[in-house]
Amino acid sequence: RGLPPPPPPPPPPLRRRARSTTAPREVFIAPEAVEGPPRQAAGPSKMPGKQSALEELSGRNMHERRSCSTGIPTAEMGAGVCAKNGERPGSAPRSASASGSMSGSNSDDEEIIHFDWQEGMVMNSRYSLAKLLGDGTFGRVVLAHDQCSDRQVAIKIIRDVKRYMDNAKIEADILKDIRQADPDGTSGCAIMYETFTHEQRFYCLVFEPLGASLYDFLKDNSFRGFWMQDIQSFAQQCMQALMFLHGHLRMTHTDLKPENILLQSMSPPYVDQFPREAEWLRRGGPLPSKGQAAGDYLRPASSRIKLIDFGNATYEDEHHSSIINTRQYRGPEVLLGHGWDERSDLWSIGCILMELYAGDQLFATHEELEHLVLMERIIGAIPAGMLDRASQAVQDSYLVQDPHTGFWRLPWPERASSLSSERHVRSQWPLLEQVLPEHAVFAEFCQELLALDPRRRPDAVDALRHDFLSAHFRD
């Protein structure tokens, strides 16, 4: 297979736009920011005792789960329909207000009205609007035909609210940096063609249209996992994209999850057999709703993917927020208050790949202590040095110190929030036991990405050399 090609030459100095202090940075401005019904599984989860508590830290987590798709909808996969905030069953979904102001205010309490589009309307003297792809908290996504280049595009039209537009411009600057460093679009990151302002009120971003998110594909397959061949392809492309972001742009994505990885092709999927059906059912995989069949198992027309949603991306020399990632993809170094770097993205990819295999989240939790305990149950004991270096706030809230040895430990199960939480933790399998024997090399790859000590995780370049990515799989 050989080593991946070297990255392109360094780009010119990056632009910097002052980040807004009046709005959280979780703004997502790509066409994927389409919202729909709350994220629902096809039946009861295989994880008993899943908690329904609100996210911790009094709303400081700026990364709510959201399911997204930029692509043209297909009848088979519903690619243009997104779950509202992408909440899994048992979570506390964030309500998305459809009210606000047309005056460009910073308030969400006034009525917010979407841009009133019409089929055939032309924007920026070139984009003929064709189809509404969806509405989101921050804007509306419309499929259009670019009359100048004779191609389809997806236009995200930001609502006329100042803080939404300010944050949209921040992400647009990041996407411009990506495009400047990757003019041919080979990095695996979504392409933004241009931005413009319509009628001096509506800030617009023009993207390549893409297909369904990996989460949407899982959901429409009743949360049956992907073929190993597809997972292998996804893993390799993710590492190549991270090699570009980390090594070339010195940027950490900070919010990788299945909702933010989109299939590149808009072609409909095809029916195939799910090779792990028996094992999926034996382990209590998410079953279809009562009285309904699981339906045909579908495979994507192509395994090519793109990373999206760079609204939270952080350059190496920028301020690093203390909390990053959506909860279920957040690394132990963030939970313990150590600070983080680009290797936090590697942890997120490890979580994602296991989810794409099993069909459910590796760390299904909404509680800080339970999350840490799940890591120990699935990955192994958190090194004593990491607990010792935890922030004072974390030690006070989630750790206890042995009065005899002075070592810190997780106070479990004595501080478990409920018996169901205890049962949930006990039900977990160690990582290497969560895959079939013929997929052991895959679990070993994920285990390296999920090293509890981030210093022991491979970087993206080293990960691309792992035996898993050159192994041959029949499924």
Side-chain angles (χ1 to χ4, degrees):
R1 187 183 293 266
L3 296 178
L14 301 176
R15 295 168 299 279
R16 290 290 191 272
R17 182 187 297 273
R19 296 200 182 270
S20 169
T21 59
T22 61
R25 289 179 50 215
E26 94 267 21
V27 117
F28 46 104
I29 62 172
E32 66 272 12
V34 182
E35 296 192 16
R39 176 166 168 170
Q40 296 291 334
S45 168
K46 70 180 182 180
M47 302 292 192
K50 195 171 288 186
Q51 301 301 302
S52 60
L54 289 170
E55 269 289 14
E56 75 291 351
L57 300 173
S58 302
R60 285 172 54 209
N61 177 21
M62 301 303 181
H63 303 258
E64 300 286 347
R65 293 190 63 83
R66 53 189 179 270
S67 175
C68 309
S69 172
T70 64
I72 299 173
T74 63
E76 291 81 358
M77 293 303 295
V81 179
C82 296
K84 182 177 181 180
N85 301 321
E87 291 290 347
R88 283 188 181 273
S91 66
R94 176 185 62 181
S95 61
S97 172
S99 64
S101 170
M102 288 294 291
S103 65
S105 75
N106 282 314
S107 173
D108 289 332
D109 298 329
E110 306 168 45
E111 183 182 8
I112 299 176
I113 301 174
H114 278 296
F115 172 72
D116 186 17
W117 81 285
Q118 293 181 354
E119 185 176 356
M121 176 186 291
V122 176
M123 300 182 75
N124 206 32
S125 303
R126 64 183 294 178
Y127 301 114
S128 177
L129 305 188
K131 183 177 183 179
L132 178 67
L133 295 181
D135 293 332
T137 303
F138 302 102
R140 164 167 281 178
V141 187
V142 180
L143 182 69
H145 178 72
D146 184 349
Q147 298 172 335
C148 293
S149 61
D150 192 26
R151 64 185 175 191
Q152 286 184 319
V153 296
I155 303 178
K156 177 66 181 291
I157 307 169
I158 303 299
R159 287 172 170 170
D160 184 20
V161 178
K162 185 178 185 301
R163 72 189 191 104
Y164 294 168
M165 290 188 286
D166 287 346
N167 282 275
K169 291 174 182 178
I170 290 171
E171 184 173 4
D173 278 351
I174 294 172
L175 289 164
K176 288 173 184 176
D177 289 339
I178 290 173
R179 187 73 194 278
Q180 183 177 10
D182 178 33
D184 297 326
T186 60
S187 69
C189 301
I191 296 174
M192 185 187 74
Y193 296 127
E194 71 162 341
T195 64
F196 63 90
T197 302
H198 181 73
E199 296 179 347
Q200 298 182 337
R201 295 169 60 199
F202 297 99
Y203 189 68
C204 300
L205 303 97
V206 184
F207 289 86
E208 60 175 333
L210 297 169
S213 74
L214 296 189
Y215 168 74
D216 283 330
F217 212 98
L218 271 179
K219 179 181 66 176
D220 289 340
N221 262 333
S222 299
F223 294 98
R224 290 170 287 187
F226 286 86
W227 276 50
M228 182 55 71
Q229 293 173 2
D230 294 332
I231 296 173
Q232 184 184 46
S233 177
F234 298 155
Q236 182 162 22
Q237 292 174 79
C238 284
M239 292 303 111
Q240 290 169 340
L242 292 185
M243 181 177 68
F244 167 77
L245 291 175
H246 298 170
H248 189 54
L249 289 181
R250 303 295 181 185
M251 175 193 295
T252 304
H253 185 286
T254 79
D255 198 18
L256 292 170
K257 54 188 174 181
E259 291 91 333
N260 286 343
I261 304 175
L262 268 58
L263 293 168
Q264 190 168 336
S265 173
M266 296 178 291
S267 300
Y270 62 94
V271 176
D272 208 330
Q273 297 296 316
F274 179 41
R276 302 189 301 280
E277 184 94 21
E279 179 67 10
W280 177 73
L281 291 173
R282 186 182 73 81
R283 295 206 175 189
L287 298 174
S289 302
K290 187 176 181 180
Q292 296 181 353
D296 291 331
Y297 179 82
L298 301 173
R299 287 189 72 185
S302 168
S303 62
R304 299 299 302 172
I305 57 173
K306 287 289 186 82
L307 304 186
I308 66 165
D309 195 349
F310 290 87
N312 297 294
T314 303
Y315 290 100
E316 185 178 66
D317 61 353
E318 280 189 307
H319 169 72
H320 284 36
S321 301
S322 59
I323 300 295
I324 60 168
N325 300 107
T326 298
R327 149 69 68 187
Q328 293 81 8
Y329 309 93
R330 188 179 298 158
E333 65 271 28
V334 181
L335 294 177
L336 294 173
H338 289 173
W340 52 271
D341 61 17
E342 71 279 358
R343 299 200 186 210
S344 65
D345 281 346
L346 278 298
W347 175 276
S348 300
I349 293 295
C351 296
I352 291 167
L353 294 177
M354 288 300 298
E355 183 173 345
L356 299 181
Y357 182 88
D360 209 352
Q361 292 167 334
L362 183 63
F363 300 109
T365 181
H366 286 279
E367 297 181 3
E368 198 89 359
L369 177 58
E370 183 184 75
H371 197 172
L372 291 166
V373 174
L374 285 171
M375 289 179 179
E376 290 205 328
R377 177 79 174 179
I378 295 171
I379 307 298
I382 298 175
M386 291 186 67
L387 297 179
D388 188 59
R389 297 196 312 274
S391 70
Q392 189 64 51
V394 170
Q395 290 180 346
D396 292 344
S397 301
Y398 306 112
L399 303 179
V400 293
Q401 192 170 27
D402 188 292
H404 302 294
T405 66
F407 291 130
W408 293 91
R409 67 174 180 84
L410 301 177
W412 192 269
E414 61 266 30
R415 288 196 194 171
S417 62
S418 65
L419 290 175
S420 64
S421 179
E422 291 186 54
R423 289 194 298 270
H424 174 46
V425 171
R426 285 198 303 269
S427 72
Q428 305 308 303
W429 298 59
L431 185 71
L432 296 181
E433 297 179 25
Q434 294 192 24
V435 305
L436 296 173
E438 57 266 34
H439 300 144
V441 68
F442 164 67
E444 292 166 0
F445 177 71
C446 292
Q447 189 173 48
E448 291 193 12
L449 302 182
L450 293 167
L452 293 164
D453 186 340
R455 296 171 298 183
R456 296 184 176 274
R457 290 175 211 154
D459 59 24
V461 174
D462 289 337
L464 280 166
R465 300 188 179 101
H466 196 278
D467 290 344
F468 164 63
L469 297 178
S470 59
H472 175 74
F473 297 100
R474 293 182 298 175
D475 62 332

